[in-house]
């Protein structure tokens, strides 16, 4: 993949050399997949006077769909089919407060709300927090390219269930987009009003402290993996303190590394996950109609 801008040699950044680029290409491919690599190349060409690091930083700040996707984790369905009815049985006549930590661009938040509605439950509210204001802006804008990037193949073939769209939880905006990667045009979509009303976004750094409000279930997918152990512990303490006693927590199912680097990167996280429940006084729960394979659930202590 050739993307070396003509003037790269004149880049003020002494660490950016053409020799690095193959490595960078590979890293972009590993991290973000082919569409992410394409986006990286486009950004690089558009800003050919920028040092490489600036391009990478901008890419990571951009709301690229590769950081999340609709219905990315199956625990969203487990919340909808199992955890919500279980909590409703335990806390009758009370709306179930869901706290999503690390909501990114909102695709997960809206998927969750739509999944719960599609399972016939309406008495809930999602508070979705993220540290990144650009992602929250996109979440509030709530207009998405359907089939946007490499995960979009999954959105197209598997994870974006057409029945949910057909049931009216997502709708076309009327705008379309195209790309040379896939056949075109594809729609821009947005959540329906019913789904939008179920989610509130808030900027919050969970490392700084708990989220105010009454929450009965915390969803923390693909956030803890990015931090060192001590920070993971801080996040856990603040997440538990954001919940009413005896609430539920759920995390993404254990990942299997796709290459030796990823396996090595995941190893300390897996070790941390193995000891985390006991260290935080969490007990494993399996809500009815759910499989552990699709995401794990824990009960927080009754007395905190
Ligand atoms: C990899 S994305 C995961 C998005 C979504 N939960 C999913 O599984 O697809 C991680 C998100 O967590 C957010 N995040 C990272 N650290 C955070 C923190 N300390 N407080 C709040 N959000 C954080 C990031 O900004 C990013 O949007």
């Amino acid at each position: 993949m050739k993307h070396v801008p003509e003037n790269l040699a004149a880049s003020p950044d002494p660490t950016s050399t053409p020799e690095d680029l193959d490595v960078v290409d590979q890293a972009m491919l590993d991290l973000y997949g082919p569409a992410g690599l394409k986006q990286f190349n486009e950004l690089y060409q558009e800003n050919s006077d920028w040092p490489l690091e600036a391009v990478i930083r901008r890419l990571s700040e951009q709301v690229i769909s590769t950081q999340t996707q609709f219905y990315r984790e199956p625990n969203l369905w487990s919340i909808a089919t199992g955890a919500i009815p279980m909590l409703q049985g335990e806390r009758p006549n009370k709306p179930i407060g869901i706290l999503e930590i690390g909501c990114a661009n909102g695709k997960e938040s809206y998927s969750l709300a739509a999944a719960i509605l599609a399972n016939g439950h309406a008495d809930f509210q999602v508070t979705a927090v993220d540290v990144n204001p650009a992602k929250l802006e996109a979440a509030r804008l709530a207009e998405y390219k359907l089939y946007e990037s490499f995960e979009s193949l999954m959105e197209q073939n598997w994870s974006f269930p057409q029945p949910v769209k057909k049931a009216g939880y997502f709708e076309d905006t009327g705008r379309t987009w195209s790309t040379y990667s896939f056949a075109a045009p594809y729609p821009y979509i947005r959540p329906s009003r019913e789904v939008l009303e179920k989610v509130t976004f808030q900027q919050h750094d969970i490392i700084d402290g708990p989220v105010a409000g009454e929450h009965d279930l915390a969803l923390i997918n693909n956030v803890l993996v990015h931090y060192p152990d001590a920070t993971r512990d801080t996040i856990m303490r603040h997440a538990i303190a954001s919940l009413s006693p005896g609430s539920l927590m759920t995390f993404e199912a254990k990942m299997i590394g796709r290459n030796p680097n990823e396996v090595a990167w995941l190893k300390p996280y897996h070790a941390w996950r193995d000891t985390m429940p006991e260290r935080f006084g969490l007990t494993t729960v399996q809500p009815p109609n759910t499989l552990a394979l699709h995401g794990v659930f824990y009960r927080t202590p009754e007395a905190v």
Side-chain angles (χ1 to χ4, degrees):
M1 180 83 56
K2 274 282 154 271
H3 60 215
V4 188
E6 288 302 318
N7 60 351
L8 182 67
S11 160
D13 178 6
T15 63
S16 298
T17 65
E19 286 76 14
D20 288 328
L21 290 172
D22 284 345
V23 177
V24 173
D25 269 359
Q26 191 56 51
M28 291 296 120
L29 196 59
D30 285 346
L31 272 172
Y32 299 124
L37 176 59
K38 172 175 161 281
Q39 195 169 351
F40 169 71
N41 284 329
E42 285 169 356
L43 196 63
Y44 207 171
Q45 273 159 6
E46 279 163 23
N47 303 287
S48 55
D49 53 337
W50 290 9
L52 178 60
E53 280 69 12
V55 178
I56 294 173
R57 198 172 316 119
R58 173 56 62 87
L59 186 74
S60 70
E61 285 165 359
Q62 279 187 357
V63 184
I64 52 172
S65 69
T66 47
Q67 291 303 299
T68 190
Q69 69 203 61
F70 291 110
Y71 300 97
R72 177 180 184 181
E73 298 290 341
N75 62 357
L76 304 188
W77 292 108
S78 302
I79 293 173
T81 59
I84 291 289
M86 190 169 97
L87 285 167
Q88 281 173 339
E90 294 167 5
R91 302 165 189 205
N93 309 318
K94 178 187 174 303
I96 302 303
I98 301 172
L99 174 62
E100 183 196 5
I101 296 172
C103 63
N105 61 14
K107 282 185 173 181
E108 182 175 72
S109 329
Y110 295 127
S111 303
L112 174 63
I116 299 173
L117 289 168
N119 275 275
H121 309 291
D123 206 12
F124 72 95
Q125 199 63 39
V126 180
T127 302
V129 304
D130 203 283
V131 67
N132 184 329
K135 292 189 179 182
L136 290 166
E137 200 182 316
R140 293 192 182 103
L141 183 68
E143 186 185 45
Y144 304 99
K145 288 174 175 174
L146 190 59
Y147 315 144
E148 185 171 21
S149 77
F150 88 108
E151 287 99 343
S152 303
L153 290 174
M154 290 196 276
E155 286 173 4
Q156 185 171 11
N157 296 323
W158 173 70
S159 77
F160 196 93
Q162 289 304 317
V164 174
K165 187 156 171 261
K166 287 208 185 91
Y169 296 115
F170 291 89
E171 58 202 22
D172 291 349
T173 64
R175 293 207 304 140
T176 58
W177 69 285
S178 37
T179 170
Y180 58 73
S181 312
F182 313 120
Y186 287 121
Y188 276 86
I189 59 162
R190 65 178 160 235
S192 66
R193 177 149 301 283
E194 192 185 3
V195 174
L196 285 172
E197 283 173 356
K198 285 290 173 197
V199 188
T200 311
F201 294 98
Q202 237 181 68
Q203 190 184 358
H204 186 89
D205 186 341
I206 195 67
I207 297 169
D208 286 348
V211 181
E214 281 192 34
H215 309 112
D216 309 290
L217 188 154
L219 169 69
I220 315 179
N221 281 344
N222 305 303
V223 175
L224 292 158
V225 65
H226 298 287
Y227 284 106
D229 283 0
T231 315
R232 301 193 235 265
D233 282 356
T234 306
I235 291 174
M236 280 301 293
R237 275 199 309 278
H238 293 159
I240 293 170
S242 307
L243 294 168
S244 313
S247 291
L248 296 183
M249 302 186 88
T250 180
F251 307 86
E252 78 283 355
K254 245 183 188 176
M255 288 172 272
I256 302 167
R258 290 166 298 183
N259 56 49
N261 285 345
E262 207 172 61
V263 170
W265 178 65
L266 286 168
K267 211 171 161 191
Y269 177 53
H270 286 168
W272 179 88
R273 283 264 302 243
D274 289 345
T275 62
M276 175 270 283
E278 200 183 327
R279 289 189 302 106
F280 287 93
L282 306 178
T283 45
T284 308
V285 240
Q286 197 61 58
N289 305 314
T290 67
L291 293 175
L293 183 70
H294 291 165
V296 283
F297 286 81
Y298 297 104
R299 176 83 69 184
T300 62
E302 282 296 337
V304 279

